[in-house]
Amino acid sequence: MEKGNYFEEDERKPSTKLTPEKVVSLLGRHGTKVSTQEAEIILQFMRKVADVAVNQYLSVKKD
């Protein structure tokens, strides 16, 4: 990992789908242990937040 760069190279690939198993692996590499079920909940929350953020951005752009 480069100094000052939080993301590792394989974490930036936009073409790969983020699965619960990948979340478990990713968080594990950074010292956080979660189960596959917890990772699924995290992903659901992240998707909701992303949806709200995109909708908010698009509604501001219309005005």
Side-chain angles (χ1 to χ4, degrees):
M1 185 158 52
E2 292 179 281
K3 188 174 185 177
N5 184 359
Y6 179 76
F7 296 103
E8 294 179 17
E9 190 62 34
D10 65 336
E11 294 173 15
R12 286 189 252 161
K13 291 182 183 176
S15 63
T16 59
K17 185 176 180 180
L18 194 55
T19 64
E21 292 78 15
K22 288 181 184 177
V23 171
V24 170
S25 173
L26 174 67
L27 291 174
R29 285 186 279 162
H30 293 282
T32 303
K33 294 181 181 180
V34 295
S35 68
T36 305
Q37 292 81 14
E38 291 169 325
E40 181 60 41
I41 293 168
I42 291 168
L43 282 173
Q44 289 172 358
F45 176 75
M46 288 175 54
R47 289 181 184 119
K48 286 180 183 180
V49 170
D51 188 45
V52 169
V54 168
N55 286 333
Q56 179 71 28
Y57 177 79
L58 293 176
S59 70
V60 170
K61 282 292 199 182
K62 286 185 206 175
D63 297 336

